Structures are given as structure tokens and as C-alpha cells.
Amino acid sequence: MNRRKFLKGSALLSGLFTLNPVDFFANGVKEIPDPKNKAKNIIFMISDGMSSGTLAMANLYSQNILGKNGNWMSLYLENKVSRALMDTASASSIVTDSAAASSSFGGGYRVRNGVLNIGANGEKHIPVWQKFKKAGKKTGCVTTVTITHATPAGFCVNSDSRNAENEIAEMYAEIGFDVMMGGGDEFFNPLKRKDKKDVYSLCQQKGYQILKSKADLNKAEKGKKVLGIFNSGALPYSIDRKNIPELQQTPSLAEMAQTAIDQMKDHKEGFVLQIEGGKVDWAAHANDISALIHDQLAFDEAIKTVIDFAEKDQNTLVIITTDHGNANPGTIYGPDATQNFNSISNYKFTNEYILNAIHSDFNLQQIKDWIYETNTISLADDEAKHLLSFYSGLERQEGGIYNYKKLPFKAYSEIQKKHNSVGWISMDHSGDYVEVAVYGPGRELLPPFIKNTDLHYLMLKAGQI
């Protein structure tokens, strides 16, 4: 079949999404040509909330500070992948949330923001990992946020609300996915759930082994289902885990990915695995450049883990993308732009950690000393006064989706911008087109421009189910 039918007029119709994001596509696997070779395994990698500027800055940091190209960019440079731009709209908006975005991949249809694989009239779209499980494959998800969060859930379950994480945890146990790892102890632990339900016990009754720390990864029993819950809430940001000893018992995304692959790779029918760098999105919401770059680099290390396996295996389709942009960060022109950007290598912690450590009883010298110690930034008196005002109640405390303590993220990122030449357009998602890279059997199915739902059918066609 002509590859143009895969697009089904997307190039002509994409402009209409700005007015009404109606589903113009066929939502059918028949529109995609047959692959040259069947993919036994599929690994779908999502750097959540990764604007193109995030990818560019992480690679620039890798080149300038670490002395090497990133793994994602190396796939482009070595021409190992097919590459596309992707439209990320949801059924209700040109700007998607993570639930609708994951549902586009997972269920093959665009749904309203906030729901998981539920159509406008209540129809339930079967999630893709359930389809592959029924076909005999092992199934799994690993993430740096809660395992019940929107992105892993969109590949696995149907729900009227992405926030129903207690219920999503129970659904996972009932359906029986083979490997599930991330954060979210509060959704499994009877001591933290309002209903006191022990979902850990329910999972153990279903045959799961429970992993609670990085050390447990090496003890995982092969052939037995795995539930790895390594934190209450999300996992720590990568740079904080590196520099704060008490956080180092939590695994990296690459370490979780390796364990998930090792647990499922010998299954005769193959496996499917979603890998999410979820805190890239959280860092963008906070305009936190240190958190953003280091978690994107952690995602990049997971890419190496996956590609190393796929190159040896030769039967694994790897899809690397994001679900949407967020905050559209980028470097700003100026005579000292390079030097300013490189100064980010002096940042020892996330802004979240730095700002949490400031208290209302700090004087100006204390706050100036703390910022210099952690970011090597010398605050002017007026900058120190402005930052301190947020803690003494003189300024309105700032919001942000994952800013539960109302920290002055925006104010501090504006101060940092003068020193690191990085700017942000907002503290929320954006509707820009995003990158897609595809490696392995089925890469030839990817045209230069696609709609997010197309990846659902590409997976089904590549896996021939």
C-alpha cells in the first residue's frame, strides 16, 4: 500500500487542528503497510514533556561538559533511525495533557484531556498493552514518577480520571502486567490509603515479587512478576539523587529499564515495555533547568540501555519520543551565551531542593551564601530581597502543577536566566510538534509527519497482531 495512505491526509488537514482537533484519521491498522520484518519485542520510550529545546540543551550540555554527543542525537548522526515530527493534540484541545497523549498511543484514539482511553460517549478503547498481553507477550512499564501516573496508565487501563491512582493500582494487579516499576507507595500501602486496602498484598497473591530499593533490582527472581515501588510519590530528580546520599537507594531509569528487559527478554512470545522519563515534564513545569537537563540525560542513558539490547537482539522495535512539549525552554542570544550556559555545570541540586531549604528567618547574607554554594551565582541585594519576599509573605506564592509547597520557581528561574542564558515561555504544556525516532523492524513504516495515534497502529502492524 502507498505510504501516503498512512498519513491519510494529515499534511493537508493538520492546520485544521488549530480550530477543531477532530479525528480525521481512520484509526485503523489497515492503513499502514506491512513491515519487512516482524518485531518480536517493542520498547516505547517517552521523555514526558520534552520540548525540542530540552533535547537540544541536554545534547549541548553533553557535548560541552561531558565531551560527547548524547545517545539520542547519535542515533540521528549515525542514521540508525527513521525520524518524524508528530502532532500531539488531544480530542479537546490543540494542547494535550499526559493522559490524553498516552491514550493516543495506548488506545489509538484521541480522547479528552484528563481521561484514559475513554471516548466522548463513554466508549472504552482497549489499551495497547492489553492487546499485546492477550497475544501472549509479556508486558511492562517503568517510570520515574508514580507507576499509576497518566503515561504508564494510558498504555494499560481505561479510566474516567487520570487522578484515580488508587483504582489504577488495583487495576494493574487485576490485569497482571509482568513488570511495573516506579514510585507511588501511597497507592499500594494500606497505611497510606484512606480505604486501608493493602494492594501490595493483593499483588503478592497474584504472584508478584515486591521490590523496594535499588539493591532489590539485583535480587529479582527471573520468571516471576515484578512490582517495584521505590518511593512515596515520584522518584527523586537525577541530580539530587547523585548528590544527596539518602536518595541513592532509588534506582535510575536506565537501571529499571535493564531489569525490566532482563525479566522479560527470554519469553518465547516476546515482550512490550514502556519506559518513561516522567520528571522531565515536572522539571519543565518548574522551569528548573538543572532538574530538566539531568533528567533528560538520565533518559538518554536509558536509550543506550535499550539500543544496546536491541542491536544484539535484532528483533526489537524501539520508539523514542515525547507526549508533548512543555514550557519550550531554549538558549538566548548574547555575547556570553556559551559561557553562561556552561555555568549550569556548577549547579549541584535542583531548584526544588535549593528553594525548599530557604526559610523566612534567613537574612540577606544567608540566602546569598546558599545560592552561591549551590549554583555559584552571586545574587545582587535586590535579587536576594525579592527571593526572600516569597518566604516572608510579602509576595504571592507561586503556583505550578507539581509545586505543592508553592515555591518561587518562576522568580528564581528569572534570576538564573541572567546568568545561564536559558529562557522559558511558560510553566505548562505546549502544542508544538515533537520528535519521533524509530529503530529496528518496522522503522520503515514511519513517514516524516504523523499524528500521535498513528504510533498505536504502527506498533500493532510491526508486531503483527
Side-chain angles (χ1 to χ4, degrees), residues 33-308:
D34 290 328
K36 294 177 182 177
N37 297 295
K38 179 181 179 179
K40 180 181 178 182
N41 311 310
I42 297 174
I43 301 176
F44 197 113
M45 304 188 70
I46 301 171
S47 177
D48 198 299
M50 189 201 76
S51 296
S52 59
T54 299
L55 179 61
M57 287 191 297
N59 197 66
L60 182 62
Y61 186 96
S62 187
Q63 289 174 327
N64 290 7
I65 307 305
L66 307 179
K68 61 180 182 178
N69 268 306
N71 297 299
W72 189 332
M73 294 306 297
S74 291
L75 292 173
Y76 289 163
L77 291 168
E78 296 166 18
N79 198 27
K80 289 185 176 181
V81 292
S82 297
R83 181 185 182 190
L85 284 178
M86 180 172 65
D87 180 352
T88 63
S90 72
S92 57
S93 176
I94 59 172
V95 183
T96 190
D97 80 329
S98 290
S102 186
S103 297
S104 292
F105 303 142
Y109 290 81
R110 286 184 166 173
V111 299
R112 292 176 290 106
N113 288 344
V115 305
L116 296 162
N117 298 306
I118 301 288
N121 299 311
E123 58 271 33
K124 294 184 177 181
H125 308 303
I126 300 173
V128 67
W129 271 196
Q130 290 192 34
K131 293 179 181 180
F132 279 112
K133 181 177 174 59
K134 185 176 180 180
K137 294 188 184 297
K138 288 199 171 185
T139 53
C141 297
V142 300
T143 181
T144 54
V145 295
T146 57
I147 190 58
T148 48
H149 216 254
T151 299
F155 277 53
C156 298
V157 301
N158 304 89
S159 177
D160 287 321
S161 174
R162 60 175 288 174
N163 297 321
E165 293 188 70
N166 280 335
E167 291 76 13
I168 291 168
E170 296 175 51
M171 290 181 203
Y172 288 169
E174 183 64 32
I175 296 167
F177 300 106
D178 295 277
V179 177
M180 304 297 275
M181 290 192 285
D185 178 67
E186 65 270 37
F187 305 116
F188 296 84
N189 190 332
L191 300 177
K192 297 178 181 178
R193 288 178 56 120
K194 288 184 178 180
D195 61 7
K196 306 301 180 183
K197 185 172 291 187
D198 189 345
V199 183
Y200 283 129
S201 178
L202 177 61
C203 289
Q204 287 175 319
Q205 292 170 22
K206 296 283 186 176
Y208 283 88
Q209 54 188 316
I210 311 298
L211 311 182
K212 289 295 188 74
S213 70
K214 178 179 176 178
D216 288 346
L217 291 179
N218 298 324
K219 304 173 187 175
E221 181 182 343
K222 294 286 171 48
K224 189 176 181 181
K225 287 184 172 65
V226 172
L227 175 65
I229 304 297
F230 304 108
N231 207 31
S232 184
L235 272 59
Y237 284 110
S238 296
I239 190 171
D240 287 343
R241 187 179 64 245
K242 176 183 177 181
N243 292 315
I244 302 172
E246 57 265 34
L247 300 181
Q248 291 169 5
Q249 79 279 5
T250 57
S252 69
L253 186 61
E255 289 166 339
M256 291 189 291
Q258 185 66 66
T259 297
I261 291 169
D262 289 344
Q263 286 294 118
M264 300 191 290
K265 67 182 180 181
D266 296 326
H267 184 56
K268 65 178 182 178
E269 298 299 330
F271 69 88
V272 292
L273 173 66
Q274 184 207 93
I275 299 172
E276 184 204 15
K279 294 204 77 172
V280 173
D281 181 64
W282 292 30
H285 279 300
N287 287 186
D288 190 334
I289 189 59
S290 182
L292 185 81
I293 286 179
H294 288 278
D295 263 66
Q296 182 62 34
L297 290 174
F299 181 81
D300 202 63
E301 284 303 305
I303 290 175
K304 183 180 187 303
T305 298
V306 167
I307 295 298
D308 284 351

Side-chain angles (χ1 to χ4, degrees), residues 358-411:
I358 298 172
H359 301 288
S360 59
D361 59 356
F362 271 37
N363 59 39
L364 288 188
Q365 192 58 49
Q366 284 176 308
I367 199 168
K368 290 168 76 171
D369 288 347
W370 175 239
I371 296 302
Y372 189 82
E373 178 185 341
T374 54
N375 275 178
T376 322
I377 290 175
S378 297
L379 292 182
D381 284 351
D382 63 333
E383 292 174 326
K385 289 177 182 177
H386 180 56
L387 196 57
L388 190 56
S389 70
F390 287 91
Y391 296 85
S392 58
L394 299 178
E395 290 278 356
R396 180 181 59 85
Q397 296 298 294
E398 297 192 357
I401 291 180
Y402 301 111
N403 185 10
Y404 305 116
K405 295 184 179 180
K406 307 299 183 185
L407 299 171
F409 284 135
K410 184 66 175 176

Side-chain angles (χ1 to χ4, degrees), residues 288-449:
D288 190 334
I289 189 59
S290 182
L292 185 81
I293 286 179
H294 288 278
D295 263 66
Q296 182 62 34
L297 290 174
F299 181 81
D300 202 63
E301 284 303 305
I303 290 175
K304 183 180 187 303
T305 298
V306 167
I307 295 298
D308 284 351
F309 167 75
E311 287 184 330
K312 294 176 184 176
D313 178 70
Q314 294 294 302
N315 292 305
T316 300
L317 170 67
V318 181
I319 299 171
I320 308 170
T321 188
T322 181
D323 51 350
H324 52 75
N326 190 342
N328 286 33
T331 49
I332 302 167
Y333 179 79
D336 299 319
T338 302
Q339 179 181 340
N340 288 350
F341 179 81
N342 289 349
S343 73
I344 296 168
S345 63
N346 296 322
Y347 295 6
K348 298 178 182 179
F349 306 104
T350 62
N351 292 354
E352 179 178 277
Y353 179 82
I354 293 168
L355 297 175
N356 259 316
I358 298 172
H359 301 288
S360 59
D361 59 356
F362 271 37
N363 59 39
L364 288 188
Q365 192 58 49
Q366 284 176 308
I367 199 168
K368 290 168 76 171
D369 288 347
W370 175 239
I371 296 302
Y372 189 82
E373 178 185 341
T374 54
N375 275 178
T376 322
I377 290 175
S378 297
L379 292 182
D381 284 351
D382 63 333
E383 292 174 326
K385 289 177 182 177
H386 180 56
L387 196 57
L388 190 56
S389 70
F390 287 91
Y391 296 85
S392 58
L394 299 178
E395 290 278 356
R396 180 181 59 85
Q397 296 298 294
E398 297 192 357
I401 291 180
Y402 301 111
N403 185 10
Y404 305 116
K405 295 184 179 180
K406 307 299 183 185
L407 299 171
F409 284 135
K410 184 66 175 176
Y412 190 51
S413 72
E414 289 295 321
I415 291 171
Q416 286 179 314
K417 180 170 68 173
K418 303 172 188 177
H419 302 271
N420 62 28
S421 295
V422 173
W424 311 76
I425 68 162
S426 75
M427 300 182 80
D428 216 330
H429 295 183
S430 55
D432 42 317
Y433 298 149
V434 299
E435 292 277 343
V436 182
V438 176
Y439 173 91
R443 63 171 282 190
E444 71 279 3
L445 304 180
L446 185 74
F449 185 80

